[in-house]
Amino acid sequence: MVDELNFYRLLIILAGVLSLFFSIFSYFKLKNAPGARHYTIVTLLSAIFTFSYAFELASTTLKEIRFWLGIEYIVMPFIPGFILLMCFEYVGIKLRQRHVFLLFGVPLITTFMHHTNELHHLYYVTVGLLVEAPFPIIDLEYGPFFYLHSIYLFLCLSISIIVLLLQIKNSLLQFRIQLLTMVAGLFVPILANSFYLNNLSPYGIDLGPVSMSVSFILHGIALFTFKMFNVVPMARERVFDNMHEGVIVLDQNDRIVDFNRAILRIIPSFNSFSIGKGIQLALAQEHVRLADLISSGKECEYEHIDGIKSEHYQVRFSQVVNRKGTAISNIITFVNITETVEMQRQLRILANYDGLTKVCNRRFFMEQSVNILESIIKKEKNASLIMFDIDHFKMINDTYGHEAGDIVLSEIANLVKFSIRPEDLIGRYGGEEFIILLPALDSKDALELANTIRTSITETLIRIDNNNIRVTASFGISPILITPVEQGEVFKEALRNADHALYEAKRSGRNNVQVFKEEIPTA
């Protein structure tokens, strides 16, 4: 019988050591994590309770047993309350301070009634030694306040289980396994206490301390395997899934902890198996550019293209910090700014393009031309500039009206746009005057193109109401010799030369093309 008692003592001491280990580990390694503070407290209280019970089993007299029982009741009544607080904080439920005080009202009453039992016998009716036991084991007849504590214990554990189970529906697979592991850990002390209260435990030995250590082992499995306390992953329906913005939550090591449904519009490859993966690994194959943007950690814009549909997102980074200011997780938010980008695009069009002809306005044309010349300075040596205007355009306005003049300008602009190359640039220089930049074309090729456009304009009939209008245009061409000098000055000179050539075309009878030729000064 002594060997059997020693076995139970050793088992309980081992349970106490495990509880103490989890308490120390959580204090040093998990102090910044949600729920870890209560986990540290409850494991410490359990370790004190368990070691005290081991001393109780080693006692040989009723007086010694009652002394260690008193030590147990300093800490044991508070354990269920801290378990409940741990579960509440884990799922994101924050109790008000007055509710926390109410929660520990029953443990305070239990402790007081236990230590004053000799005055009223309301906690234990009688206290003695179990006669049929082969070693000293306390025999207790329970009073009403003992049952109050028992109800409190079962309520705390039951509420904890319900709170955790309610989160399963809206949780990913990994969190479901984690939750079920925690729930299993809470069922163990309930079963052990049921055995004890119904006199089913061997020799009346309370296996509650052992059951709590088993419970903490199961919590430890969740803690080590699934990183239980790295970040609060619960309350997904309230926090994540109702958000329009896509959200990714990372732990301190940039591993994916959670994401909401909205992010699947941007990263459809995410699934339950993405949880626990490094963000770079999860994006490496299909979203290389996004992975690079996230690795920079700087706020930026990201364009997501799905077939022919394009959406623009602003990528924002933020940290979740604890009360000490230490970061415990990183949050990446994708805010859809497609409407804003489209509005900005429309504003740029209004600012940079002529509203009537839909070609570049004068200011934007000149800016873009200088940029184009600077970009090709190392590749090409030549470019050309064409300036043309519609002949006798004032007569068209006076004869048919300004609305007819607007139609003529639009038709001519469209004709020219279809005649030039994609790399060429056309702009409305003013009134009925247009200008075309031809990168990498010399004056000979520019002359050929200008004559083609001139002929097309001459042969085109523009119908306005019941009238067919035929117009002509005059063209001036200036070659551009690209040199390392300031391209802005080069372009301005080309403008002057093209304008001079256009003047020569008009003086030569209109409806013709003239190429600027630099005059050689005579001696």
Side-chain angles (χ1 to χ4, degrees):
M1 294 300 177
V2 174
D3 291 339
E4 192 171 359
L5 178 60
N6 287 335
F7 168 76
Y8 286 119
R9 288 175 184 166
L10 181 61
L11 184 64
I12 290 169
I13 290 171
L14 178 61
V17 170
L18 283 173
S19 295
L20 185 60
F21 166 76
F22 283 123
S23 180
I24 295 171
F25 178 85
S26 60
Y27 177 78
F28 286 103
K29 297 295 184 179
L30 305 171
K31 62 174 64 178
N32 297 323
R37 181 164 55 97
H38 298 123
Y39 182 84
T40 300
I41 294 172
V42 78
T43 48
L44 177 61
L45 295 180
S46 177
I48 296 172
F49 170 53
T50 305
F51 287 131
S52 298
Y53 188 61
F55 281 112
E56 179 187 328
L57 289 181
S59 300
T60 57
T61 67
L62 180 60
K63 183 179 180 180
E64 290 177 358
I65 291 173
R66 294 184 67 170
F67 171 79
W68 289 112
L69 185 63
I71 299 298
E72 294 165 31
Y73 266 86
I74 294 175
V75 295
M76 186 270 289
F78 297 91
I79 291 176
F82 281 109
I83 290 176
L84 182 60
L85 285 178
M86 179 184 72
C87 294
F88 274 170
E89 186 170 349
Y90 181 62
V91 300
I93 298 174
K94 187 175 179 60
L95 292 182
R96 295 182 179 179
Q97 195 169 16
R98 64 173 179 270
H99 294 153
V100 175
F101 288 145
L102 289 174
L103 178 64
F104 289 107
V106 173
L108 288 170
I109 293 172
T110 298
T111 303
F112 175 79
M113 295 303 292
H114 180 275
H115 286 87
T116 60
N117 188 67
E118 290 298 319
L119 301 176
H120 45 71
H121 296 284
L122 293 175
Y123 199 84
Y124 298 129
V125 177
T126 61
V127 179
L129 293 176
L130 194 63
V131 177
E132 62 269 21
F135 36 75
I137 294 291
I138 197 166
D139 184 21
L140 302 168
E141 183 181 350
Y142 307 126
F145 278 91
F146 176 86
Y147 291 107
L148 174 65
H149 166 70
S150 299
I151 293 171
Y152 173 79
L153 168 66
F154 284 108
L155 277 176
C156 285
L157 295 180
S158 299
I159 293 172
S160 298
I161 291 171
I162 292 170
V163 165
L164 294 173
L165 290 177
L166 287 175
Q167 306 302 319
I168 288 181
K169 180 181 178 181
N170 299 312
S171 301
L172 298 175
L173 175 63
Q174 184 140 347
F175 295 139
R176 290 179 182 179
I177 297 173
Q178 177 180 328
L179 284 165
L180 291 174
T181 305
M182 293 180 66
V183 169
L186 294 173
F187 267 115
V188 173
I190 292 178
L191 294 174
N193 277 278
S194 298
F195 269 78
Y196 178 69
L197 293 177
N198 290 286
N199 297 318
L200 297 176
S201 57
Y203 306 110
I205 295 176
D206 186 1
L207 294 179
V210 177
S211 70
M212 281 190 291
S213 294
V214 174
S215 174
F216 298 141
I217 290 174
L218 290 172
H219 290 167
I221 292 173
L223 181 128
F224 290 118
T225 307
F226 303 117
K227 307 297 186 292
M228 182 171 94
F229 290 120
N230 277 1
V231 68
V232 179
M234 299 296 107
R236 300 183 76 255
E237 184 176 5
R238 295 192 299 274
V239 179
F240 285 142
D241 287 337
N242 287 333
M243 295 177 64
H244 296 294
E245 296 85 3
V247 178
I248 304 174
V249 182
L250 308 179
D251 66 8
Q252 301 95 320
N253 299 311
D254 287 338
R255 290 184 295 245
I256 300 172
V257 173
D258 203 358
F259 55 85
N260 66 351
R261 290 193 186 100
I263 200 66
L264 298 179
R265 290 172 55 88
I266 309 163
I267 314 172
S269 59
F270 270 13
N271 54 47
S272 58
F273 297 103
S274 302
I275 301 296
K277 286 185 179 180
I279 185 65
Q280 295 298 319
L281 178 63
L283 298 175
Q285 295 182 348
E286 300 181 16
H287 305 276
V288 177
R289 181 170 173 270
L290 180 57
D292 292 339
L293 292 175
I294 290 177
S295 66
S296 71
K298 297 179 180 178
E299 187 172 307
C300 58
E301 290 186 9
Y302 173 67
E303 182 182 7
H304 172 65
I305 301 174
D306 184 10
I308 60 173
K309 186 178 180 181
S310 174
E311 290 185 329
H312 295 264
Y313 294 88
Q314 185 177 47
V315 185
R316 299 174 181 174
F317 299 84
S318 58
Q319 291 184 328
V320 177
V321 298
N322 60 13
R323 295 175 183 175
K324 296 181 180 179
T326 304
I328 60 174
S329 69
N330 299 301
I331 298 176
I332 306 172
T333 307
F334 291 76
V335 181
N336 194 321
I337 57 171
T338 304
E339 290 186 5
T340 303
V341 170
E342 180 61 24
M343 186 180 296
Q344 291 173 345
R345 188 183 72 84
Q346 294 295 335
L347 289 173
R348 282 196 298 270
I349 291 174
L350 292 174
N352 298 327
Y353 290 84
D354 178 59
L356 175 64
T357 60
K358 310 305 179 190
V359 300
C360 299
N361 59 27
R362 179 172 179 169
R363 177 193 58 78
F364 187 59
F365 178 88
M366 297 182 73
E367 289 178 1
Q368 291 298 102
S369 295
V370 173
N371 292 337
I372 290 171
L373 293 177
E374 289 178 348
S375 68
I376 66 174
I377 191 169
K378 294 182 180 179
K379 302 176 186 177
E380 309 291 345
K381 293 183 179 179
N382 295 306
S384 297
L385 193 66
I386 297 177
M387 184 179 289
F388 74 94
D389 72 0
I390 300 170
D391 297 330
H392 304 297
F393 184 73
K394 185 177 183 299
M395 186 183 299
I396 296 172
N397 281 334
D398 293 342
T399 305
Y400 301 102
H402 287 280
E403 184 177 348
D406 290 344
I407 294 173
V408 169
L409 290 172
S410 296
E411 291 292 332
I412 297 300
N414 286 332
L415 186 151
V416 176
K417 281 190 286 187
F418 284 109
S419 301
I420 60 179
R421 304 170 302 171
E423 61 267 33
D424 298 333
L425 186 67
I426 179 173
R428 185 179 178 186
Y429 196 64
E432 72 275 18
E433 199 167 32
F434 294 86
I435 191 165
I436 308 170
L437 177 67
L438 305 170
L441 280 189
D442 58 20
S443 56
K444 180 180 178 182
D445 292 331
L447 175 62
E448 183 178 345
L449 175 62
N451 271 311
T452 300
I453 295 173
R454 182 189 64 79
T455 303
S456 297
I457 293 173
T458 303
E459 295 175 350
T460 298
L461 284 176
I462 303 173
R463 187 168 182 80
I464 301 174
D465 295 331
N466 295 321
N467 301 303
N468 291 323
I469 299 177
R470 190 187 299 275
V471 298
T472 61
S474 302
F475 292 76
I477 298 174
S478 171
I480 303 175
L481 181 61
I482 300 176
T483 61
V485 300
E486 173 62 42
Q487 297 307 308
E489 295 302 320
V490 170
F491 181 71
K492 288 178 182 179
E493 183 180 358
L495 275 175
R496 291 191 293 268
N497 296 339
D499 186 59
H500 181 77
L502 175 60
Y503 175 77
E504 289 296 322
K506 287 184 174 294
R507 197 170 63 173
S508 301
R510 295 184 171 83
N511 193 23
N512 68 91
V513 181
Q514 297 292 326
V515 180
F516 174 78
K517 295 178 181 178
E518 187 173 358
E519 297 181 1
I520 301 174
T522 57

